[in-house]
Amino acid sequence: MRRIIIALLILILDITSIIASSLYLGPFNAITNINLNGPADWRTPRDVTAKQGQPIKVNGAGTYYEDTASQAFDDLQIVALGALHELKHRGDYWGSKDAENFGIKISVESSSYDDGYFWFTSQSNPDSRRPFKLQLAVSYRRKPGDDDTIDSGTDNQGWVINGELEPTDFYLKNVQYDVIEHIYSIIFDIGIILPSDETSPSKPSIDNGILTVDGKNYIIASADDYSAEISITVELISKNGEVLPEDWDGSPTTITLTLPLSGFYDPTLPSGQDINRFLDMSSSLDIKTTAKASNIDLLMDQNKEFRIADLEYSIYNVNNNSLDGSSQIADDDIFIFLSSSPNPFVEDEDGFMFVHEDVDPTQAPSPEERIGYELELRPTIDTGNGLIQKIPEKMSAEFDGTDFINGSNVPENRVGTVCFNEYLGHANEPKGRHWHSYEGEIWLHLDTAEVSPMNAGYYKSYVYVHAVVDDGV
C-alpha cells in the first residue's frame, strides 16, 4: 500500500484550559455519487490563501476577521472535514509558558494511489480508471471573548496531497496573551480535485468518454460503479513528545476512518454535481482482489485457505443524519452477506464452486469438472477510535454460497456494520453525520476434490457481495 502522509503540528493553548475542546473527523458530501465529469472549478486546486474574511473592528479594540468566504471548497467538493475545535485559553499580561503546547497530526493513505494520483476504478471494467487528487485546506480561527466574530486569519494554507508532500508543521496564528478569554480552533477540510487538461469552462472534462490529463488520454467507460478508498487519521499530539495532560476532556485523541468513495460517468448527463445525490442515503463499496484470487492452483491448494480480497463498505446519510436514535432504520438493519447468486433474493443451491470453462452453462458439471469452496469474512475495522456508537454482535461469518433473503427472513450467516455518529462543529447544516461502515478481508478455503484427477484447464467462479438495508417496508 502506498502512503501519502501529511503531518500537522499545531501548537496551542494553556494545558489547564481545554476541558470543553474536542477532536473530530467525519465524512462529508463528496463521498458518494461523485460525477466523474466534474465541474470546471474542480479541475485544479483551489487558491486557499485567497479565501479570507474581511477585517473588522471589535469594540474598537483591534482588527479581527469576519467569518465570511473562509471556506476553501464548495460543500459538494468536501470529502471529509475535521478539527481541533474550540479550545479555550485565558492568557496574562506576561504571556503563557504553556501556550502552543498542543497540535494535531493528519495522515492520509490509500491503496488507490499510484504515479502522483489517486484513482477511481470501475468494478465492472477494471481497465477504466479516472485519476483524481485530494487537497488539504487548513485554517485557524479565533473567537475573542463573548463576541461572536471570528478571526479566520490571513494564514489559511492549502496543499495538494500527493506522494511528494513531506511532513510539515503548522503553527497556530495570532495567539493572544492577555486577560481576555479566547476560543481557538484549527479546522481542516479535504476536497476532491478532478483534473483535466480542458481549460474551457463551457466544455466537459470528459468528452465522449475520453479524458485528457497531463497529455495522456484515458478511456472512461459509462458506469455507475467507480470506487476508491482513502484512510484518514487525525491525532492529538503534544509538543516535544510530552505526555498529553490528564485534564483532556475524554474525547478521542486519535481517530482513523477508512472511507470508500463512489462515482459514476454518464455521457448523457451534463458535467457538475447534483445536490440531491449527496443528500440521499447512499453507499460506497470498494473491493480489491489479491493476486492469489486469480492464481489459485486447484490441485496444490486443496484444503488450504488464503486471502482473496479486501473489502470496504460504508453507507452515508443514514436516517437523514439523525443522531438521536429516532429513526426508521435500526443499526441491525444494515448488514452484508456473500453468495454465489447475483440476486440476494434467489438461492443458488450449488453454492460456491469452481467450474471448468468448457462446461455447458445449462448442464450440471461432473465431479471431474468442479470443486467447491467456502468463504469467510473477517473484520479489520478499527473499533477503538472513539467515534463508534455501536458495534454489531456478529462481525465475522462463514459462507458456502447458498445464503439468500427468503421473504422477510434475512440470512443467518451475515455480518453487521459498525455505527458511527459524529457532530462536526464547523460544518454547514446538518452538522451531524450518521453512517455505517464495515472493513474486512475475504478468505477462501478450498475443498478437497471429489475425484482425482480433475480435468485439466481453466476454472472460474463468481462471488457476490450483498450490502443490504432492511428498512422493514
Side-chain angles (χ1 to χ4, degrees):
M1 173 181 289
R2 302 238 189 164
R3 290 191 173 187
I4 305 89
I5 302 296
I6 304 155
L8 307 185
L9 183 59
I10 306 170
L11 305 174
I12 53 178
L13 298 190
D14 187 325
I15 62 173
T16 64
S17 56
I18 61 172
I19 301 300
S21 58
S22 64
L23 182 74
Y24 61 72
L25 173 67
F28 210 58
N29 294 326
I31 202 77
T32 60
N33 293 323
I34 302 170
N35 186 347
L36 301 188
N37 195 13
D41 57 356
W42 291 24
R43 295 173 186 169
T44 56
R46 295 296 180 91
D47 183 3
V48 175
T49 58
K51 295 286 186 178
Q52 299 298 329
Q54 298 299 315
I56 60 174
K57 293 285 186 178
V58 179
N59 299 326
T63 301
Y64 300 96
Y65 286 82
E66 193 176 20
D67 188 31
T68 58
S70 60
Q71 182 169 302
F73 309 105
D74 298 333
D75 268 359
L76 297 186
Q77 193 178 3
I78 300 174
V79 174
L81 47 74
L84 184 57
H85 201 240
E86 295 193 345
L87 300 128
K88 294 182 178 180
H89 170 69
R90 184 179 178 89
D92 55 50
Y93 288 111
W94 305 103
S96 173
K97 295 180 180 179
D98 294 323
E100 301 184 346
N101 196 48
F102 286 89
I104 54 175
K105 180 171 66 176
I106 301 173
S107 63
V108 178
E109 63 180 46
S110 174
S111 59
S112 72
Y113 180 81
D114 182 50
D115 195 24
Y117 289 99
F118 303 93
W119 298 85
F120 281 105
T121 302
S122 170
Q123 296 285 328
S124 59
N125 185 3
D127 292 331
S128 184
R129 305 198 304 161
R130 204 266 194 244
F132 69 98
K133 285 183 177 289
L134 297 171
Q135 183 180 2
L136 170 72
V138 179
S139 62
Y140 316 93
R141 298 187 180 184
R142 177 167 59 90
K143 182 178 180 181
D146 295 328
D147 199 287
D148 60 1
T149 57
I150 296 177
D151 178 3
S152 56
T154 57
D155 300 292
N156 292 351
Q157 303 177 64
W159 290 263
V160 176
I161 301 173
N162 56 47
E164 299 174 355
L165 182 65
E166 296 295 331
T168 307
D169 294 344
F170 304 95
Y171 294 89
L172 186 71
K173 310 298 179 180
N174 303 321
V175 175
Q176 298 293 308
Y177 302 109
D178 51 35
V179 296
I180 301 175
E181 182 178 78
H182 299 289
I183 299 175
Y184 293 92
S185 295
I186 303 94
I187 68 173
F188 61 90
D189 298 345
I190 296 177
I192 190 169
I193 310 297
L194 299 175
S196 171
D197 287 357
E198 179 55 63
T199 58
S200 173
S202 63
K203 294 182 179 180
S205 299
I206 305 173
D207 188 6
N208 293 321
I210 302 296
L211 171 70
T212 303
V213 176
D214 297 337
K216 299 179 182 179
N217 290 333
Y218 299 92
I219 299 176
I220 309 299
S222 177
D224 61 1
D225 61 356
Y226 285 88
S227 67
E229 61 84 21
I230 60 173
S231 182
I232 306 170
T233 298
V234 56
E235 179 184 359
L236 179 69
I237 58 176
S238 181
K239 189 176 183 180
N240 299 324
E242 297 174 4
V243 177
L244 296 177
E246 295 181 356
D247 54 352
W248 176 251
D249 67 351
S251 64
T253 57
T254 300
I255 304 169
T256 298
L257 295 178
T258 297
L259 302 172
L261 287 68
S262 67
F264 70 93
Y265 172 59
D266 186 342
T268 67
L269 295 179
S271 61
Q273 309 299 317
D274 180 2
I275 184 64
N276 295 318
R277 286 179 173 266
F278 293 93
L279 297 179
D280 291 342
M281 185 170 64
S282 53
S283 60
S284 295
L285 175 65
D286 186 66
I287 300 174
K288 293 205 169 40
T289 57
T290 66
K292 184 63 176 179
S294 57
N295 190 31
I296 299 173
D297 187 327
L298 298 184
L299 176 62
M300 301 302 296
D301 287 333
Q302 290 182 23
N303 204 28
K304 295 180 181 178
E305 68 170 19
F306 33 82
R307 182 171 60 89
I308 62 168
D310 297 315
L311 178 152
E312 284 93 21
Y313 169 73
S314 287
I315 181 166
Y316 305 101
N317 302 331
V318 176
N319 299 316
N320 295 318
N321 287 313
S322 170
L323 304 184
D324 61 5
S326 58
S327 59
Q328 181 180 20
I329 299 173
D331 295 331
D332 294 337
D333 291 338
I334 303 174
F335 59 88
I336 299 171
F337 71 97
L338 311 180
S339 81
S340 57
S341 171
N343 189 331
F345 299 96
V346 176
E347 180 184 14
D348 182 352
E349 295 181 353
D350 293 329
F352 292 129
M353 185 181 300
F354 286 105
V355 178
H356 196 281
E357 61 180 339
D358 292 337
V359 172
D360 186 333
T362 64
Q363 304 293 323
S366 67
E368 293 83 6
E369 300 170 318
R370 67 173 187 260
I371 184 171
Y373 61 92
E374 294 80 36
L375 295 177
E376 183 180 0
L377 192 52
R378 302 176 182 175
T380 58
I381 190 168
D382 178 11
T383 58
N385 63 20
L387 297 186
I388 292 176
Q389 185 79 10
K390 182 179 180 181
I391 299 175
E393 294 183 3
K394 190 174 184 180
M395 294 190 66
S396 63
E398 297 180 353
F399 304 91
D400 62 4
T402 63
D403 294 292
F404 72 110
I405 299 175
N406 184 10
S408 60
N409 297 320
V410 298
E412 181 179 352
N413 292 325
R414 65 186 187 278
V415 297
T417 54
V418 171
C419 173
F420 290 88
N421 280 344
E422 181 67 345
Y423 183 84
L424 306 175
H426 77 277
N428 290 336
E429 298 296 340
K431 294 180 179 292
R433 283 296 183 267
H434 183 179
W435 75 99
H436 282 241
S437 289
Y438 185 88
E439 302 164 37
E441 299 172 340
I442 301 177
W443 286 72
L444 184 148
H445 183 275
L446 189 62
D447 293 349
T448 301
E450 297 179 44
V451 297
S452 182
M454 296 171 58
N455 291 349
Y458 176 73
Y459 288 70
K460 61 182 178 180
S461 182
Y462 296 94
V463 175
Y464 297 92
V465 178
H466 300 292
V468 179
V469 179
D470 180 16
D471 59 6
V473 297

